[in-house]
Amino acid sequence: AQSVTQPDIHITVSEGASLELRCNYSYGATPYLFWYVQSPGQGLQLLLKYFSGDTLVQGIKGFEAEFKRSQSSFNLRKPSVHWSDAAEYFCAVGNNDMRFGAGTRLTVKP
Amino acid sequence: DTGVSQNPRHKITKRGQNVTFRCDPISEHNRLYWYRQTLGQGPEFLTYFQNEAQLEKSRLLSDRFSAERPKGSFSTLEIQRTEQGDSAMYLCASSPPVRGKQETQYFGPGTRLLVL
């Protein structure tokens, strides 16, 4: 069965610092992987996705993620965090019936 | 391009009452999805439609839940005899016709349900 684990419930980083959010998945075939961001009162916004090809994918707002099949991971990174990046981040895997992780809440310190 | 819209945005009801939510997908998106999100959790898949056909339903979708998409455009999700455990955010998403193996799902703002 497909599943997603986001090991970090809450992460705090200083503005300008680098960020890495972890995501591990379990999927029987080639996974379709996604990162979404959810701000309070807002819908889920797609940051980036991986279907195939280059394992390093670029997304919006300066985010990138790397697919590592050997580690079953799809970690999200950003070199320099901005205060506006504070939000809940969800990793998801699957096809039509997507499975989401429980989310990682990002707090940005001034 | 208008995004996915959901109505109402908030709903408060008493236990045992029926509620209905509406989702209007992005124009020309033929697939429509319903998810439920409880506090502190990620969204959980409920069901999805391709045009008017309901192709998959999660075990989470008990017999009190019914979803329709009669003309392949908007969709409704009805919950009968609501229970306090139904309190959650109900999210709708849509995706365009599949050109490859999968298309991105675009989410609406959700309907927050509180059952008293």
Side-chain angles (χ1 to χ4, degrees):
Chain A
Q2 53 190 0
S3 65
V4 175
T5 301
Q6 293 181 246
D8 304 304
I9 296 173
H10 184 205
I11 283 183
T12 300
V13 299
S14 298
E15 190 168 15
S18 64
L19 170 70
E20 182 169 31
L21 302 182
R22 296 183 291 163
C23 172
N24 294 97
Y25 68 89
S26 172
Y27 196 72
T30 301
Y32 302 118
L33 293 158
F34 307 83
W35 274 99
Y36 283 87
V37 61
Q38 187 176 41
S39 299
Q42 303 294 315
L44 288 158
Q45 181 182 21
L46 179 72
L47 287 175
L48 46 78
K49 62 188 179 186
Y50 172 79
F51 289 171
S52 63
D54 193 348
T55 56
L56 184 64
V57 293
Q58 302 297 319
I60 62 171
K61 304 185 179 185
F63 285 93
E64 67 177 26
E66 186 171 12
F67 169 59
K68 293 185 177 179
R69 184 186 299 275
S70 61
Q71 298 178 19
S72 296
S73 69
F74 188 57
N75 295 347
L76 181 72
R77 299 193 295 249
K78 186 170 185 178
S80 177
V81 170
H82 187 262
W83 64 265
S84 61
D85 293 324
E88 189 90 20
Y89 290 80
F90 293 96
C91 181
V93 63
N95 202 327
N96 293 299
D97 56 339
M98 282 203 299
R99 297 291 189 263
F100 284 80
T104 297
R105 182 161 60 93
L106 174 65
T107 298
V108 181
K109 292 191 302 184
Chain B
D1 187 17
T2 306
V4 177
S5 62
Q6 293 186 245
N7 289 288
R9 293 291 307 276
H10 300 90
K11 179 71 177 179
I12 300 174
T13 191
K14 294 181 179 179
R15 189 178 53 186
Q17 297 295 304
N18 299 345
V19 294
T20 300
F21 309 140
R22 175 176 171 132
C23 171
D24 287 88
I26 294 171
S27 178
E28 298 183 356
H29 279 196
N30 65 336
R31 293 192 176 190
L32 186 148
Y33 312 80
W34 285 100
Y35 293 81
R36 180 177 69 187
Q37 185 178 20
T38 53
L39 206 59
Q41 298 297 317
E44 299 170 293
F45 170 80
L46 293 178
T47 188
Y48 93 93
F49 294 83
Q50 179 166 303
N51 301 313
E52 64 275 9
Q54 188 173 17
L55 296 187
E56 189 167 344
K57 293 194 291 186
S58 162
R59 286 175 296 177
L60 292 174
L61 212 65
S62 75
D63 56 4
R64 296 185 298 104
F65 288 69
S66 63
E68 294 183 343
R69 195 183 184 199
K71 298 182 179 179
S73 57
F74 73 91
S75 175
T76 57
L77 178 68
E78 181 182 19
I79 309 174
Q80 296 181 329
R81 306 181 303 281
T82 52
E83 302 172 356
Q84 289 182 325
D86 297 331
S87 296
M89 176 78 85
Y90 290 85
L91 297 169
C92 177
S94 69
S95 65
V98 177
R99 291 186 295 274
K101 292 185 178 179
Q102 173 62 356
E103 290 294 339
T104 300
Q105 296 182 26
Y106 296 87
F107 283 81
T111 295
R112 185 171 294 283
L113 173 65
L114 177 61
V115 182
L116 301 176

